[in-house]
Amino acid sequence: MIEISTRPSTALAGKLLLVVAAVALAACSSEAKRLRLSCADGNAADCNTLAYRLASGDHVLQDQPRAAGLFEQACDEGVAEGCYRLGRMHQESTGIVGDSAVAISMYRRACDGAEMRGCTGLGVLYRDSVGVPQNLTRAAGLFQQACDGDDALGCSHLGSAYVAGEGVAQDLARAAGLFEHACDGDVMAGCIRLGDLVASGDGVTQDLDQAVALYREACDADAGAGCFKLGGAHANGAGVTQDSTEAANLFDKGCDLQHAESCFTLGNMYATGTGVSRNLGQASWRLRRACRLGYEAACRDD
């Protein structure tokens, strides 16, 4: 008896994929057109959505100056997220000439409009004295407002303030709780800072296994600092079996993720042959990269 295959041929499968892709592209183009028409008709929320797509190149040709204009339009019409995103563009000079005064104004409007990321952004500017006189108390208050509004990044920044005693009384136990909240909200900086407190036993019970798990979570999420911390744990045998080769692999990943100290540490490992075969060419390359990423010690040793 001859069996007749019901599987599509490779050529047919390829054609089907092309059809599906074409349909998806047409749908995206149709949605972009709808957003443009709706924005032109005065729908501020759609102006904000279109601006986001233009800023990121999401199924449309990337046009950041045009995105900035639309974010401003959305902001002026009461969309607080538009204020936040325009503020961020100005803070980071993303596709436009940044203006710290505009960033401050936009973040303030976003925060006043209950866009908690605006409160966090404004807090960072007050903390780092960008366009405004440094005011650590004001910064901590803004981070608290953002955290209370469930902005996980705000919680992470507030935790750092409690660790350093900047604008608030130092309280490591309080900081640990804030970092945990931030980590639960997928802010990897929170996971890493919580890992540091757990590793040292500051403000919480020391637990090296938990610290390693937190660093691994951050590294798995492509946070270079998490890979560096996990690499350090393997290098020192803290919470895991000492393994210089695994440490080198983790520093390599951290370096690829543009974490400067990972590059610096790996460069030194190549220079001494620790966990890797001694290779002065690799050592020099990693140290140069660490220098380019802003790690001053690598520049001195280069």
Side-chain angles (χ1 to χ4, degrees), residues 34-114:
R34 185 196 69 77
L35 288 171
R36 288 191 181 94
L37 291 174
S38 179
C39 178
D41 285 342
N43 187 314
D46 281 345
C47 290
N48 184 66
T49 301
L50 178 59
Y52 179 79
R53 291 196 173 193
L54 288 167
S56 59
D58 181 12
H59 295 103
V60 294
L61 185 64
Q62 190 175 52
D63 186 342
Q64 291 172 332
R66 173 65 174 149
L70 287 170
F71 281 138
E72 183 174 15
Q73 181 178 337
C75 177
D76 288 343
E77 294 178 16
V79 180
E81 184 185 353
C83 306
Y84 160 72
R85 292 198 179 279
L86 182 57
R88 186 171 175 179
M89 290 183 78
H90 275 279
Q91 181 186 2
E92 299 175 356
S93 298
T94 306
I96 58 174
V97 177
D99 185 328
S100 59
V102 175
I104 292 164
S105 174
M106 290 298 105
Y107 281 151
R108 184 172 287 119
R109 290 173 67 179
C111 185
D112 290 344

Side-chain angles (χ1 to χ4, degrees), residues 163-177:
V163 168
E166 294 181 342
V168 290
Q170 187 181 55
D171 187 336
L172 298 181
R174 172 71 173 143

Side-chain angles (χ1 to χ4, degrees), residues 224-241:
C227 299
F228 174 73
K229 295 285 186 176
L230 185 58
H234 278 282
N236 298 316
V240 289
T241 303

